[in-house]
Amino acid sequence: MLSLIKALVFLLVLAGLIAGGIFALANFVEPTQRETVIRVPAKDLK
């Protein structure tokens, strides 16, 4: 029974670290914006 509790605690700590990483990336990393130009040949417009 003790090993089950240890496994559950380990999984909860791991899930907390992953959730914390996702939260940090979502709130502290700013994406850079840039324009994208895609050239379409005239024959494909018909």
Side-chain angles (χ1 to χ4, degrees):
M1 187 68 171
L2 185 59
S3 62
L4 176 64
I5 293 173
K6 284 182 183 179
L8 288 175
V9 168
F10 174 75
L11 289 175
L12 286 173
V13 169
L14 186 62
L17 289 173
I18 292 171
I22 291 172
F23 178 82
L25 283 174
N27 289 309
F28 300 122
V29 176
E30 290 292 327
T32 58
Q33 295 183 356
R34 59 182 178 164
E35 284 191 35
T36 303
V37 176
I38 300 174
R39 300 202 185 279
V40 179
K43 66 178 183 176
D44 291 341
L45 296 176
K46 295 182 181 178

